[in-house]
Amino acid sequence: MLSDEERAVQDTVARFVDERVLPIIGDCFEQARFPAELVPEIASLGLLGSSLPEEYGCAGLNGVSYGLICQELERGDSGLRSFVSVQSSLCMYPIYAYGSEDQRKQYLPGMARGEIIGCFGLTEPHGGSDPANMKTHAKKDGGDWVINGAKMWITNGNLAHIAIVWAQTEEGIQGFIVPTNTPGFTAQVVHKKMSLRASVTSALFFDNVRIPDAQRLPNVKGLKGPLGCLTQARYGITWGPIGAAIACYTEALNYAKERILFNRPIAATQAVQIKLAEMARRITQAQLLVLQLGRLKDAGKMQPAQVSMAKWNNCRIALDIAREARDILGGAGITTEYCPIRHALNLESVITYEGTETVHQLVIGREVTGINAF
Ligand code: TGC
Ligand code: FAD
């Protein structure tokens, strides 16, 4: 059901993951190290801002290709897919969609080359599910803006050269491109994570951060600005966890064929076959769901509530499959020699960020009842 170009994109990213990611990612996870050495290669494959037009140095691929990129990267690790999601959908997309032509030209080609890394600051320490209630504010002072506040759980925070920061202003929520070397900006790595250990997560602090009006994203005001970026990133996340699920399913299938108990491989037992068949059923359903979503996206018809349904469904099936695969591996399943425990731990973040499972259930609830329960 994929075009030749889509299949070529998938094969290229799959090869990169097999050859460059899988050999190192278990150690990266254990050492809580983001493999920054892979960024130039990721960029040269055209994976950063892959859906944006070629005139800005991007690959100009369709939405299905972006989904396949996310699926294959997350077959490696959710942290690597997170890096690409944030750079592409949460940083390059708002500059493209809400920025001025000067901002597009200044940032997008360097971001596509991986020379300028971005992070996206929406969530705040007092609660991420309700971003309308943000406390970070930007005050106009002559031709400048002065930003004060804090953001929490920010992917790429300590790697970033620029932060897309959403702040309350007298005219509603607005977005700003904040160079991270601006005086008053600090980023602190979040330690002790048991999930997404191969990804950098940070707290950001803004203490009278002064930037010129030219750093404001001029073409959007209100919560629909950041939520519009989330729709793009969540779309990628509907595909990504399928990759994690495929990795776990494949590991469990291979192990079950080789593990001999009671004089036969455990794959010969009905109980294990049912578990593997369930995994295959859920992965196939999830793939059909995102392929249809991708075709709707490419036709300009995708609705945010459809993205919510797919994000909820696919994070849930992937997390359940990862836990089930861990069980099939028995004691071996608790080590990072095998991938399921790493994916299961990562997916605890993936099911939480970009809107928790509950948030997406309530988006669907609002859609079907017409009643806002938030
Ligand atoms: P609500 O009244 O529903 O909407 C306000 C305005 O926004 C519009 N809108 C959307 N636009 C685009 N996409 C969407 N998904 C949209 N949802 C709503 C809406 O039409 C309205 O526009 P307008 O013109 O009428 O003003 O807002 P609400 O305050 O009731 O909030 C609804 C709710 C709870 C669904 C929303 O706040 C929400 O989604 N909360 C969850 C927050 C979240 O997901 N944060 C993620 C932070 S970023 C992150 O996690 C990155 S991890 C990345 C990685 O490492 O991979
Ligand atoms: P809360 O909003 O405090 O939610 C707590 C609990 O309350 C959850 O179970 C939630 O489902 C539940 N809840 C909330 N509202 C309701 C309701 N109405 N009814 C019933 N239950 C409800 N954010 C960014 O801005 N940028 C990033 O790059 C980024 N990267 C992240 C990376 C990681 C590894 C993680 C873990 C998070 C990241 N986030 C990022 C933040 C993420 O988006 C938030 O964690 C998420 O939105 C939830 O917010 P919270 O953690 O404050 O939980």
Side-chain angles (χ1 to χ4, degrees), residues 229-251:
C229 305
L230 295 187
T231 295
Q232 303 301 313
R234 288 168 177 172
Y235 165 76
I237 294 173
T238 67
W239 286 79
I242 298 174
I246 290 171
C248 294
Y249 161 76
T250 307
E251 193 99 276

Side-chain angles (χ1 to χ4, degrees), residues 16-337:
F16 166 72
V17 167
D18 290 340
E19 291 172 6
R20 305 285 287 127
V21 178
L22 294 182
I24 61 166
I25 199 65
D27 286 346
C28 289
F29 185 90
E30 260 186 87
Q31 295 157 10
R33 184 179 80 80
F34 172 70
E37 67 274 19
L38 298 180
V39 171
E41 229 169 312
I42 290 173
S44 70
L45 291 172
L47 308 188
L48 301 178
S50 59
S51 303
L52 299 185
E54 292 174 43
E55 64 179 296
Y56 300 111
C58 302
L61 298 173
N62 69 3
V64 169
S65 297
Y66 175 49
L68 290 163
I69 290 168
C70 290
Q71 177 186 295
E72 290 308 319
L73 287 175
E74 197 147 351
R75 190 170 58 76
D77 193 81
S78 304
L80 213 57
R81 197 269 308 135
S82 269
F83 173 82
V84 171
S85 291
V86 168
Q87 179 82 348
S88 303
S89 292
L90 295 182
C91 296
M92 295 175 75
Y93 172 80
I95 292 172
Y96 173 70
Y98 312 140
S100 65
E101 192 54 32
D102 282 350
Q103 290 169 341
R104 292 175 178 181
K105 287 187 180 137
Q106 183 180 350
Y107 291 109
L108 294 179
M111 295 182 84
R113 289 193 301 271
E115 293 162 5
I116 303 172
I117 304 299
C119 69
F120 176 89
L122 179 64
T123 304
E124 300 197 349
H126 57 88
S129 297
D130 184 15
N133 189 28
M134 70 173 63
K135 310 285 184 236
T136 299
H137 58 272
K139 221 171 161 187
K140 196 88 196 280
D141 184 25
D144 293 342
W145 291 86
V146 179
I147 304 176
N148 280 286
K151 300 287 177 181
M152 187 58 192
W153 303 116
I154 306 305
T155 301
N156 298 350
N158 280 74
L159 295 175
H161 303 99
I162 57 164
I164 304 294
V165 179
W166 298 94
Q168 216 42 275
T169 72
E170 279 179 3
E171 297 162 58
I173 291 170
Q174 297 201 69
F176 299 87
I177 308 171
V178 179
T180 55
N181 60 4
T182 311
F185 177 98
T186 45
Q188 263 175 26
V189 171
V190 176
H191 293 291
K192 302 189 180 181
K193 281 186 306 173
M194 298 308 291
S195 175
L196 282 190
R197 288 175 59 78
S199 167
V200 174
T201 313
S202 310
L204 309 183
F205 301 95
F206 305 85
D207 180 10
N208 287 319
V209 171
R210 179 178 286 273
I211 50 164
D213 188 49
Q215 295 302 110
R216 184 175 56 88
L217 295 170
N219 298 327
V220 77
K221 285 198 179 92
L223 194 59
K224 65 174 182 289
L227 291 183
C229 305
L230 295 187
T231 295
Q232 303 301 313
R234 288 168 177 172
Y235 165 76
I237 294 173
T238 67
W239 286 79
I242 298 174
I246 290 171
C248 294
Y249 161 76
T250 307
E251 193 99 276
L253 177 62
N254 292 339
Y255 190 88
K257 284 182 185 166
E258 286 171 9
R259 187 70 171 172
I260 311 291
L261 292 171
F262 304 101
N263 301 317
R264 57 181 179 165
I266 56 172
T269 66
Q270 290 187 351
V272 171
Q273 282 198 10
I274 289 170
K275 285 181 183 173
L276 293 169
E278 271 286 329
M279 290 182 194
R281 175 179 69 82
R282 289 179 185 180
I283 289 168
T284 304
Q285 272 182 344
Q287 285 183 313
L288 289 170
L289 186 59
V290 290
L291 186 61
Q292 176 63 5
L293 195 65
R295 297 288 179 230
L296 286 172
K297 185 175 198 300
D298 286 329
K301 293 183 183 166
M302 183 179 83
Q303 297 298 317
Q306 296 167 334
V307 180
S308 283
M309 186 175 277
K311 201 256 177 191
W312 164 21
N313 186 73
N314 293 6
C315 289
R316 171 51 58 193
I317 68 108
L319 183 55
D320 290 348
I321 286 171
R323 288 172 176 166
E324 197 78 271
R326 210 284 317 144
D327 173 65
I328 290 177
L329 269 65
I334 71 156
T335 75
T336 56
E337 287 294 310

